[in-house]
Amino acid sequence: MRIDSTHRPWLWFSIALIAVSTAIYIPYARMTTPAGSTAVGLTFGVIALGFMVFAALLSLRKRYRIMRIGSARVWMKAHLWLGTLALPMVLFHAAFHARGLLAFILMTLTFIVVFSGIYGAYLQHTLPTRMFREVPYETIYDQIGVIQQQLAAEARQHATNVTQMLAPASGAGATVTMTLVEIPEYGTEVAAFDTFFDTRVEPYLQAERKKAIGMDLRHSADAARAFEDYRKLFPPTAWPPITALEDICSEKRQLDHQIRLHHWLHGWLLIHLPISAALFLLAFIHAVVALHY
Amino acid sequence: MDAQSLLILDLEKCTRCDQCVKACAEAHDGVTRLLRDGVRFDKYLVATSCRQCRDPLCMVGCPVGSIRRRNSLEVIIEDWCVGCGLCASNCPYGNITVHEFDRDGAGGKYKDAGDHGKVRKATSCDLCHDLEEPSCVYACPHDAAHRVNPTEFFANMLGQDISSALTTSPVEVKR
């Protein structure tokens, strides 16, 4: 979610909550030894747990997408801000100390969850713009494999066009043509182009993103140089299919870049979600144990 | 054909999570009525979804009169659609598709030719007309999906009032 001016009310609410909490905590800490078991400490703990519960409910809200319980954008904003506010509330609750193993684990998990969430929010704030600007050929993520196959087939067609266009004349009438007009021979160059296509272009187009990392056509400057070399070797009639091949390689490069950005956009959830679940579970155990004993 | 309502996605906000597509499918018997692909205008993607044309070509020639307006903006395909696909081929934007649905478990919704087996129906965005906000927009957690009046939206974007410019004569513009 993009952090823009629509978040201003939440920002003011957060500042106010932290200010009020600090104003309560400082005299309380001066009067007595602060701890989670005191009335003030418990209040902070209950608020922190409430924020965590609400933040966790976003996953349920996303599962029941069409249920009319508030729009997803409002839930997401609340998730971002209340989830972040859970951290200062936990710190006030624990009096900035982690006493005991469970408390230490809980504190550590809270830090990881909140900071992974902030990192995720940063990625979701910046990466969509990068995707929009750097991947003009962007497509639906699940379709990338299909499009890659189509690109490879299209490239094969363009390569065939180049070789057929420049192949030495053959068949009936070839001898007559060759004696009437002086046609330059491109046999060696065409063979080199075929090898270039078979060993570098086609494997690159068919390679998955990780395998393509070591290939020279992955770099736009190297690719431009390679295709320019063949344009210099061949007559202008062969340039359009060579340029089309270069464009196909460029599209493949963009699709790989899209995959990379997509993984960045959603990959952080692999840390955020399981640790949030663990935190949620342990926080409940902590609350039950603390209230019972 | 002037579009009256466009589904646009702000590509600087959209995280490509597909919640809009999934919500649309959930709201319409498992078949989405929008495709997160289409023409781009600056940072906005005009999703492939019904534009609610002012003068809809899709309504022309429906043999059973199932595609129509109910005195409102949205073009509705009624349950008695026979799935001939004429509206789909008439739509210049490819925003209508024909799908097969199971009669079983549909709660007697498709009664045209029996209670069992498959039935073909045309589907197109109905703006979730019985709800306050279309499901795709409602389910977008990133505030990226919006249904907009294109004239007003793009006029605001370009910083000018297109509707008044359209109604103003060239002489008046000169003055």
Side-chain angles (χ1 to χ4, degrees):
Chain A
M1 165 165 262
R2 202 162 177 81
I3 312 296
D4 53 20
S5 58
T6 60
H7 286 257
R8 200 164 289 150
W10 282 103
L11 177 67
W12 288 119
F13 169 74
S14 303
I15 291 170
L17 184 68
I18 291 172
V20 169
S21 302
T22 310
I24 293 169
Y25 183 81
I26 290 173
Y28 150 73
R30 280 185 183 161
M31 275 193 293
T32 179
T33 309
S37 54
T38 62
V40 176
L42 267 178
T43 308
F44 281 126
V46 169
I47 293 171
L49 187 62
F51 285 173
M52 284 181 193
V53 170
F54 184 83
L57 285 174
L58 179 71
S59 60
L60 277 179
R61 172 67 188 81
K62 280 185 170 181
R63 189 156 296 176
Y64 299 99
R65 298 172 191 92
I66 56 172
M67 201 179 270
R68 301 278 152 165
I69 45 171
S71 69
R73 56 185 174 273
V74 174
W75 276 77
M76 180 57 103
K77 278 181 190 162
H79 172 87
L80 282 175
W81 290 95
L82 297 183
T84 309
L85 283 171
L87 180 61
M89 294 300 116
V90 165
L91 290 174
F92 286 133
H93 166 66
F96 297 87
H97 287 92
R99 297 182 187 90
L101 181 64
L102 184 60
F104 175 76
I105 294 171
L106 276 169
M107 189 80 88
T108 309
L109 291 182
T110 308
F111 269 97
I112 295 173
V113 169
V114 170
F115 283 102
S116 65
I118 291 171
Y119 177 62
Y122 166 76
L123 291 178
Q124 295 200 337
H125 178 82
T126 54
L127 289 186
T129 306
R130 278 191 64 187
M131 183 100 85
F132 160 61
R133 294 190 194 287
E134 295 172 13
V135 192
Y137 283 122
E138 184 192 341
T139 185
I140 295 168
Y141 180 77
D142 294 335
Q143 291 293 310
I144 288 177
V146 178
I147 289 175
Q148 202 174 318
Q149 284 173 5
Q150 286 174 348
L151 288 179
E154 205 180 312
R156 168 61 68 184
Q157 189 57 51
H158 287 301
T160 311
N161 287 348
V162 173
T163 50
Q164 281 182 351
M165 201 181 284
L166 301 172
S170 60
T175 320
V176 178
T177 311
M178 291 179 81
T179 49
L180 287 175
V181 188
E182 193 179 321
I183 299 173
E185 289 281 349
Y186 290 104
T188 321
E189 290 86 347
V190 167
F193 179 78
D194 276 343
T195 311
F196 167 68
F197 182 80
D198 290 338
T199 57
R200 288 167 67 189
V201 179
E202 197 164 48
Y204 172 67
L205 293 176
Q206 287 174 340
E208 286 178 11
R209 188 182 71 89
K210 283 183 181 169
K211 283 183 183 170
I213 286 173
M215 299 180 173
D216 57 351
L217 291 181
R218 179 177 167 263
H219 306 287
S220 55
D222 290 348
R225 209 174 303 122
F227 285 106
E228 188 55 33
D229 286 347
Y230 283 102
R231 270 193 292 265
K232 281 177 187 165
L233 280 178
F234 295 139
T237 47
W239 293 356
I242 293 174
T243 306
L245 273 179
E246 190 179 358
D247 290 344
I248 286 173
C249 288
S250 163
E251 187 168 348
K252 156 79 166 121
R253 212 173 296 125
Q254 286 191 27
L255 293 179
D256 284 347
H257 190 42
Q258 183 186 340
I259 294 173
R260 188 170 145 263
L261 290 177
H262 192 91
H263 287 175
W264 278 105
L265 252 176
H266 302 287
W268 62 276
L269 286 167
L270 293 174
I271 295 173
H272 188 71
L273 287 181
I275 294 181
S276 300
L279 171 65
F280 197 56
L281 184 69
L282 289 177
F284 261 102
I285 292 172
H286 169 71
V288 170
V289 169
L291 289 174
H292 194 261
Y293 298 103
Chain B
M1 292 177 285
D2 298 356
Q4 297 186 90
S5 171
L6 288 182
L7 174 61
I8 56 154
L9 303 176
D10 184 338
L11 293 174
E12 289 193 331
K13 288 182 178 176
C14 175
T15 65
R16 287 69 169 168
C17 66
D18 270 341
Q19 287 287 320
C20 50
V21 180
K22 289 171 188 165
C24 182
E26 267 179 35
H28 299 105
D29 302 324
V31 176
T32 182
R33 297 179 179 189
L34 81 94
L35 202 60
R36 200 172 48 72
D37 202 4
V39 292
R40 288 180 179 202
F41 187 85
D42 192 36
K43 63 174 182 173
Y44 297 102
L45 171 77
V46 180
T48 304
S49 179
C50 182
R51 300 169 175 218
Q52 317 298 340
C53 298
R54 206 179 304 277
D55 183 14
L57 291 177
C58 56
M59 284 191 195
V60 179
C62 176
V64 291
S66 70
I67 184 163
R68 60 177 189 156
R69 280 206 164 103
R70 294 176 185 165
N71 296 322
S72 54
L73 172 72
E74 61 275 1
V75 176
I76 306 283
I77 300 176
E78 301 285 4
D79 283 348
W80 59 82
C81 166
V82 292
C84 69
L86 184 67
C87 52
S89 57
N90 278 349
C91 174
Y93 307 105
N95 289 340
I96 301 179
T97 46
V98 180
H99 291 274
E100 280 194 340
F101 295 92
D102 274 322
R103 284 197 187 91
D104 305 315
K109 192 175 169 185
Y110 310 121
K111 289 177 183 167
D112 54 336
D115 294 328
H116 302 290
K118 304 266 186 191
V119 61
R120 276 167 62 84
K121 299 280 176 194
T123 62
S124 140
C125 174
D126 58 359
L127 299 180
C128 294
H129 58 93
D130 46 349
L131 299 169
E132 199 179 313
E133 197 173 25
S135 296
C136 50
V137 176
Y138 191 73
C140 175
H142 305 289
D143 199 20
H146 297 276
R147 267 279 173 191
V148 298
N149 177 325
T151 312
E152 286 172 13
F153 180 78
F154 290 113
N156 287 336
M157 206 179 137
L158 296 168
Q160 61 190 47
D161 188 352
I162 285 181
S163 33
S164 68
L166 288 174
T167 52
T168 312
S169 70
V171 179
E172 283 170 326
V173 170
K174 259 188 176 175
R175 280 174 193 170

